[in-house]
Amino acid sequence: MSATGDRWGIPETRFGVDNWLCGAIATLLLWGLIMVASASVAQATKLTGDPFYFFYRQLLFMAVGGAGGFALYCVPMRQWQRSSNWLLLFAVALLALVLIPGIGVKVNGARRWIDVGLFRLQASEPVRLALIIWISAYITRRQVQLQSSLKGLAMPIIAILFPCFLLLCEPDFGATAILLGVVFLMLFLGGARVHYYAMIVGVAGAGLALIAVAAPYRLQRMLNFMNPWADVENAGWQLAQSLIAVGRGEWTGVGLGNSVQKLLYLPEMHTDFIFAILAEEFGLLGIAILLSLFGIVVWRGFAIARAAELDGRRFSAYLCYGLSGWIGLQALINMAVNMGLLPTKGLTLPMISSGGSSLMTVCALIGLILRVDYENRAAAGGVVSTENGARERPLRTDGARAQGVRS
Amino acid sequence: MRARRELPHPPPAETVGGWRRLFVLGALGVGAAIVLGRAFQLEVIDQDFLAAEGSKRFIRNVTIPAHRGAILDRRGEPLALSAPVETLWAVPQALLAKPQYVDAVARMIGRQPAEFRKFLQARIDRKFVYISDPMSPSEAKRVVALGAPGVFSDPSYARYYPAGEVAAQVVGFTGRDGNGLEGIERAQEAQLAGKEGSRRVIRDRSGNIVEDNLEYKPAQSGEDVQLTIDLRIQYLAYRELKEAVVKHDAKGGTIVIVDSATGDILAMASQPGYNPNNPAERKPPGTRNRAVTDLYEPGSTAKPLLVSQALELGVFQPTSTIDTAPGWFKVGSLTVRDEHDDGVMSLARILAKSSNVGAAKIGLTLGAEAVWSGLQRFGIAEPLYLSFPGEVNSVVRNYSEWGQIATATASYGYGWSTNALHEVRAYSAIANDGLMPHLRLLKNAAPVPPQRAISARTAREVRRMLETVVQPGGSATRAAVQGYDVAGKTGTARKLSDNGTYDSSRHEALFVGMVPAEQPRLVGMVIIDEPGDGRYYGGLAAAPVFARVMQGAARLLQISPDGAISPDLPAPSAPSSGTPMMVKVNARAGQ
């Protein structure tokens, strides 16, 4: 169509977007912004004197993340598929970098962040995205082996064991768990044989259990999450405060802004435990709506993936399954942690929690899902698919066709 | 329209069964259901428990201090007042987190920054530490306005005693928590203390109040207590007593001035004293209200009581005479001695010269029971019912235990002991024409009718005799007051030493008197405890104090003069200087 569109490959909007998905995501992001403003007032005042410090940061990250997500939306899927091995390398390099003292920043005994000036990048966020892209590419490449042999299933798992090991060195148990969960979900959807699968799941589960037992602080955490009231002033403090926050919510909550637990009683109230504040302010009704919104995101994500799968673009399909599953899984785990069903792991609530790395990664991830949807729609519009690696840009054909149709 | 093309790439794979996708969605759905179920459990089923756990942590009952009633003198002058103050407190952890504020706060509350930091460090685990003494609200406001995190102020009331040492033992003082510990502060606690109010607030974790309208119970102020004390007379009494104690190098002293008609205690002071505004000084012996708490043997001041009984029983007449020659008299193993041998004396002369021999002979003539019941007449063994802390009762053995010696000694005031208020009350009966008033310290206390101790005639006779004590030739000429006739009695009692015998070097100098003698308005008693300068006679050490205080008190109360203005006495307005005015005033004018 336009010269700019041609040159930069900016997708046209004429095929529309998935209204349910975009609606749910917009609602979640907006709600998240409001919740960050509400939950962080006391903490922001205490740390900086400006009650809206975290809100402004979140706004900035949302702008940066939105721009980044849009940039990713413009990148054809085949580019990712083609560079998936580089991404694996990038992931390992980043994880190694963060472990180097001086580059990696240590907070609360964990070296998970790289200071990039404006904010601290949590390495595990882009790493997980990169690894999931690599896994999608792997499934696309070796789906026959995956479906028929143990080796086909074991290969990708062995490949991500090293990044997982580096993640555990930080340590970042939560990110590792999410990554493994998503990888298994993708391999399962890729058609891994169920009995191999069950076996590997068993081995991985045993391995995780071993790791948890080997590091005593994790064991301590696991124990106190069972009964936070036993040592409520120390080890159980955070979870007890989180449970109190949720419990205060009742059916409809104490009202936006009226949370008391956010007033420095609940640590990490605007990041990992923002769900508890949301539950306090909006009650069971709010939780139900939040779950529904995440449900819509996962449902539409899977629908888009399914469409791509049916259309034969398997890389897009598995990536989309993985990303949607990631959002759903992390949201569920975060809520479960907030309500004392799982041990505290340091996972954010996607799209709601304050934090640059998390928010920008989620934006990127949304950009990718929407790109898959765009390519689905473009294909359904009768446009030449780019899946076979044709040099021809889809946009030009689009534009040409569209003009042709119109004229 | 819709062009679908088989892709030639990559290798063909089996179509993945749709059940897998449904399985994953189903698993996520189950997860969502579990989360929702857990939320239901927490927000609906466990709600009460969790909300209570939360409230336990952030809902605080803040007490609102109640204003304590003031203590006033009979004219409304304040003796004890409560003023609002603020006390600063801190959450050490919150304050230390912002080091730049620590020094500023330390400087503003007048503490060394290094010492203050150490102080906070030592208390880092506490959530509430007082960091200052009570200070004026405006001063505290300035510190809080620094905006230092975790620094707050609590309102309370501080107790001030405007009269200071002057009325210290009567008024007493309150402790750190505001409860009365001594004196009227303790005795009238129920009336003075208000009821604390309270409000329920929500505090954030650093102690800031974020919600303030949960529940409010206002504080109820305490009621004022008005005393019968007249601060002007109290001041006079305090000043003269203190001066005398210093002048005579005495261990202590007591003075009580009472309105003889009503029994109102107008002044009551003790030495040594203390400054009630300084907590460090609040300890015995300064805090002792000796008029109430100290027992002594009344010595010669008991003789008028004996004479009253003798007249009342009709055994002696005002005209009766007693032979005291040769100035001593043996009762068993006891030898009663007088200073001089004055031969045959009238009752008045026995009192004026304070003859022990005469008193002993009267007592032995009356007999033990009559002497004892004479004391009962004047309520010596009857409690004062002042409900003042530390109040003691007289110690008088029953007459059935008295032999000849005990009867003789009891007659001139040994072998039994009492306190100043009892004796003042007894003399009030003589002053008040035989009607003994109930002593009062609280102005609004229900009046108690006086009880008759002796007949009016006896009272007047005894007063007339007691006038001669102060007149030239009597033992207490220094008790004379310019413009007024004074009736009174001196006493010089030896104190008991540790081994139970009388110590010849330690004395109580006593004087009890009333003004004006014809129709007394005021009764006063002065005790100088152990004068150290050798001038231990009641007439020398105690009588001048009485004279100076009564001089001032009579003028303040505008009591009509009944006596002559004598050039030998100091002028009424200036106790120690100036030319006395030679004016003869009609004795009954204005009555």
Side-chain angles (χ1 to χ4, degrees):
Chain A
M1 195 167 137
S2 68
T4 338
D6 283 357
R7 180 155 317 153
W8 300 105
I10 296 172
E12 302 224 3
T13 52
R14 54 188 296 215
F15 302 118
V17 287
D18 189 312
N19 290 335
W20 278 103
L21 179 65
C22 290
I25 284 171
T27 310
L28 281 170
L29 286 173
L30 195 66
W31 198 358
L33 205 57
I34 292 167
M35 281 318 297
V36 167
S38 167
S40 69
V41 260
Q43 181 79 348
T45 310
K46 183 187 168 195
L47 294 179
T48 68
D50 175 8
F52 290 113
Y53 175 76
F54 288 108
F55 170 73
Y56 292 136
R57 278 177 72 88
Q58 190 74 351
L59 210 56
L60 182 67
F61 292 138
M62 202 164 276
V64 174
F70 185 72
L72 262 59
Y73 177 56
C74 299
V75 178
M77 275 294 135
R78 59 184 159 80
Q79 293 287 357
W80 298 111
Q81 191 178 1
R82 207 182 283 155
S83 52
S84 66
N85 286 328
W86 290 107
L87 288 173
L88 178 65
L89 209 62
F90 159 77
V92 172
L94 197 60
L95 285 177
L97 205 62
V98 81
L99 288 176
I100 299 169
I103 299 174
V105 180
K106 202 166 184 172
V107 178
N108 295 335
R111 199 180 293 283
R112 295 177 187 168
W113 294 270
I114 294 173
D115 204 332
V116 291
L118 177 64
F119 71 108
R120 279 195 295 222
L121 177 73
Q122 188 168 359
S124 67
E125 298 279 357
V127 161
R128 275 181 285 175
L129 183 55
L131 291 175
I132 286 166
I133 293 172
W134 183 81
I135 291 284
S136 309
Y138 173 84
I139 295 171
T140 316
R141 205 161 57 235
R142 313 260 175 189
Q143 194 160 22
V144 177
Q145 288 97 315
L146 176 67
Q147 286 173 351
S148 57
S149 69
L150 180 61
K151 191 186 157 208
L153 176 57
M155 280 298 290
I157 293 172
I158 290 167
I160 63 159
L161 275 185
F162 183 58
C164 283
F165 167 74
L166 292 175
L167 272 176
L168 290 177
C169 285
E170 293 182 2
D172 194 341
F173 192 73
T176 318
I178 285 286
L179 176 63
L180 286 174
V182 173
V183 166
F184 280 112
L185 182 148
M186 291 169 73
L187 294 174
F188 180 73
L189 289 172
R193 298 182 80 161
V194 176
H195 57 278
Y196 292 150
Y197 193 78
M199 198 177 71
I200 288 187
V201 166
V203 170
L208 287 180
L210 194 74
I211 287 160
V213 173
Y217 88 95
R218 260 177 226 123
L219 187 69
Q220 181 66 32
R221 274 190 170 189
M222 288 182 127
L223 285 177
N224 73 38
F225 106 86
M226 304 292 288
N227 183 13
W229 307 106
D231 186 15
V232 70
E233 291 301 321
N234 298 298
W237 174 269
Q238 188 170 33
L239 185 54
Q241 293 302 320
S242 180
L243 294 180
I244 289 169
V246 176
R248 280 171 47 82
E250 298 186 57
W251 290 98
T252 54
V254 296
L256 178 62
N258 288 341
S259 160
V260 172
Q261 293 298 102
K262 72 184 180 189
L263 301 173
L264 309 179
Y265 286 99
L266 174 59
E268 305 288 347
M269 75 294 275
H270 61 301
T271 56
D272 296 355
F273 280 83
I274 198 166
F275 171 77
I277 303 298
L278 186 145
E280 185 183 359
E281 296 192 343
F282 292 98
L284 193 61
L285 186 69
I287 295 178
I289 293 171
L290 188 73
L291 277 171
S292 310
L293 288 169
F294 278 111
I296 291 168
V297 171
V298 174
W299 162 55
R300 289 317 302 165
F302 270 54
I304 290 165
R306 181 65 175 163
E309 195 179 9
L310 288 175
D311 209 23
R313 281 172 290 104
R314 290 178 295 131
F315 172 74
S316 304
Y318 293 119
L319 181 60
C320 199
Y321 279 132
L323 298 182
S324 318
W326 180 6
I327 294 178
L329 204 59
Q330 186 159 339
L332 282 180
I333 291 179
N334 177 273
M335 294 180 203
V337 165
N338 272 242
M339 294 191 292
L341 288 173
L342 289 173
T344 305
K345 287 199 206 89
L347 284 174
T348 55
L349 183 59
M351 293 178 268
I352 306 286
S353 285
S354 167
S357 308
S358 166
L359 184 62
M360 290 193 291
T361 308
V362 168
C363 286
L365 201 144
I366 292 163
L368 291 174
I369 293 174
L370 290 176
R371 175 71 200 189
V372 173
D373 185 43
Y374 166 77
E375 290 184 6
N376 284 347
R377 286 164 191 266
V383 175
V384 176
S385 169
T386 58
E387 191 71 279
N388 56 6
R391 291 263 158 191
E392 199 181 20
R393 281 191 182 159
L395 286 174
R396 186 178 297 163
T397 359
D398 282 352
R401 265 195 83 83
Q403 275 166 351
V405 168
R406 271 188 208 136
S407 57
Chain B
M1 257 202 65
R2 205 179 151 94
R4 297 203 52 180
R5 237 168 22 130
E6 264 323 301
L7 296 169
H9 149 98
E14 287 173 48
T15 310
V16 178
W19 68 270
R20 289 180 186 250
R21 193 165 45 87
L22 292 177
F23 177 82
V24 169
L25 282 176
L28 289 173
V30 169
I34 292 172
V35 164
L36 196 62
R38 173 70 169 169
F40 180 81
Q41 186 202 346
L42 292 178
E43 302 204 281
V44 179
I45 299 170
D46 291 349
Q47 196 272 332
D48 289 344
F49 165 75
L50 293 170
E53 282 290 322
S55 304
K56 226 158 70 181
R57 285 171 179 79
F58 51 70
I59 294 192
R60 289 279 177 276
N61 275 315
V62 178
T63 53
I64 304 167
H67 184 265
R68 189 176 175 88
I71 299 177
L72 309 169
D73 87 338
R74 65 184 301 118
R75 298 167 61 250
E77 292 290 329
L79 301 175
L81 285 175
S82 282
V85 291
E86 299 267 338
T87 311
L88 294 170
W89 60 275
V91 183
Q93 197 159 15
L95 181 53
L96 285 169
K98 289 280 168 83
Q100 69 268 31
Y101 283 111
V102 178
D103 290 8
V105 170
R107 269 192 294 276
M108 287 192 73
I109 61 175
R111 298 176 68 154
Q112 290 296 319
E115 176 267 334
F116 185 55
R117 213 172 296 122
K118 214 176 282 170
F119 172 85
L120 291 175
Q121 281 291 356
R123 291 158 180 78
I124 192 104
D125 288 335
R126 308 219 328 233
K127 292 264 171 286
F128 185 104
V129 175
Y130 278 120
I131 56 172
S132 79
D133 289 330
M135 53 173 73
S136 77
S138 62
E139 220 177 314
K141 213 170 170 184
R142 276 177 54 218
V143 180
V144 172
L146 277 179
V151 175
F152 306 94
S153 78
D154 261 4
S156 59
Y157 288 99
R159 200 72 169 156
Y160 293 109
Y161 301 97
E165 192 178 327
V166 172
Q169 294 98 343
V170 175
V171 173
F173 52 85
T174 59
R176 212 179 155 79
D177 54 358
N179 293 331
L181 295 183
E182 283 289 353
I184 290 295
E185 290 273 36
R186 176 163 159 200
Q188 296 299 312
E189 175 71 17
Q191 191 178 348
L192 287 168
K195 269 215 181 93
E196 280 186 339
S198 68
R199 61 200 174 111
R200 275 153 68 79
V201 300
I202 292 182
R203 286 192 188 279
D204 71 12
R205 210 181 171 195
S206 343
N208 298 298
I209 291 174
V210 292
E211 187 81 50
D212 196 4
N213 51 6
L214 300 178
E215 201 180 296
Y216 181 76
K217 215 174 80 197
Q220 288 177 7
S221 295
E223 288 175 59
D224 291 353
V225 168
Q226 194 159 21
L227 303 183
T228 56
I229 298 288
D230 186 322
L231 186 57
R232 301 168 304 175
I233 301 175
Q234 175 77 22
Y235 174 68
L236 269 176
Y238 159 79
R239 186 186 69 186
E240 296 301 333
L241 178 69
K242 186 164 189 170
E243 195 187 304
V245 165
V246 170
K247 189 172 135 197
H248 295 289
D249 191 21
K251 237 174 90 178
T254 307
I255 183 164
V256 180
I257 310 289
V258 163
D259 182 322
S260 55
T262 60
D264 284 0
I265 299 171
L266 299 177
M268 180 155 64
S270 298
Q271 279 296 320
Y274 70 103
N275 177 4
N277 293 309
N278 178 3
E281 288 187 31
R282 296 172 179 174
K283 52 177 186 268
T287 53
R288 223 160 73 215
N289 186 2
R290 292 164 181 249
V292 176
T293 63
D294 281 20
L295 289 174
Y296 59 89
E297 288 174 296
S300 305
T301 56
K303 286 169 189 164
L305 309 184
L306 176 80
V307 170
S308 300
Q309 171 72 337
L311 295 174
E312 195 70 8
L313 293 177
V315 179
F316 288 85
Q317 307 305 318
T319 51
S320 303
T321 55
I322 290 154
D323 184 5
T324 65
W328 55 269
F329 166 54
K330 253 183 122 60
V331 187
S333 61
L334 174 80
T335 308
V336 183
R337 288 178 198 282
D338 279 341
E339 296 280 321
H340 309 281
D341 171 15
D342 288 304
V344 176
M345 293 200 280
S346 67
L347 293 183
R349 191 116 182 94
I350 286 173
L351 291 180
K353 288 291 173 191
S354 200
S355 164
N356 290 343
V357 173
K361 284 191 169 174
I362 297 171
L364 289 171
T365 309
L366 294 176
E369 184 179 354
V371 173
W372 181 85
S373 63
L375 299 181
Q376 304 309 309
R377 252 181 213 289
F378 289 102
I380 291 298
E382 194 184 325
L384 293 161
Y385 301 114
L386 272 182
S387 67
F388 196 91
E391 194 176 302
V392 291
N393 286 318
S394 309
V395 178
V396 185
R397 280 182 300 154
N398 191 277
Y399 64 87
S400 57
E401 298 171 33
W402 290 3
Q404 290 280 305
I405 294 177
T407 308
T409 53
S411 302
Y412 56 88
Y414 284 92
W416 56 280
S417 54
T418 186
N419 67 15
L421 286 181
H422 274 97
E423 220 179 345
V424 167
R425 183 170 67 176
Y427 272 74
S428 293
I430 298 171
N432 203 32
D433 285 353
L435 281 175
M436 189 170 74
H438 178 83
L439 293 188
R440 306 196 315 160
L441 194 49
L442 301 177
K443 201 184 173 198
N444 58 356
V448 178
Q451 59 193 85
R452 181 155 294 282
I454 48 175
S455 68
R457 226 191 66 197
T458 307
R460 289 191 193 120
E461 289 294 349
V462 174
R463 282 213 303 273
R464 213 155 289 142
M465 294 178 197
L466 290 179
E467 277 187 74
T468 63
V469 173
V470 183
Q471 283 159 0
S475 63
T477 52
R478 286 161 196 258
V481 176
Q482 183 76 283
Y484 298 90
D485 289 334
V486 174
K489 183 70 193 79
T490 58
T492 309
R494 288 180 175 179
K495 289 179 79 173
L496 276 172
S497 65
D498 294 338
N499 55 22
T501 59
Y502 286 99
D503 192 326
S504 59
S505 63
R506 291 163 64 226
H507 299 82
E508 300 258 15
L510 310 165
F511 185 83
V512 199
M514 53 200 77
V515 174
E518 189 62 33
Q519 191 163 20
R521 292 274 308 275
L522 302 174
V523 175
M525 169 148 205
V526 179
I527 303 175
I528 306 294
D529 185 17
E530 287 187 37
D533 62 350
R535 297 167 10 121
Y536 51 79
Y537 290 104
L540 291 178
V545 176
F546 172 88
R548 280 198 288 273
V549 173
M550 284 304 185
Q551 183 79 70
R555 182 169 60 85
L556 286 168
L557 298 179
Q558 303 185 331
I559 297 171
S560 301
D562 66 345
I565 302 293
S566 154
D568 303 333
L569 290 173
S573 53
S576 53
S577 66
T579 318
M581 290 181 39
M582 296 296 290
V583 183
K584 175 71 186 172
V585 182
N586 186 340
R588 313 303 298 162
Q591 284 290 330

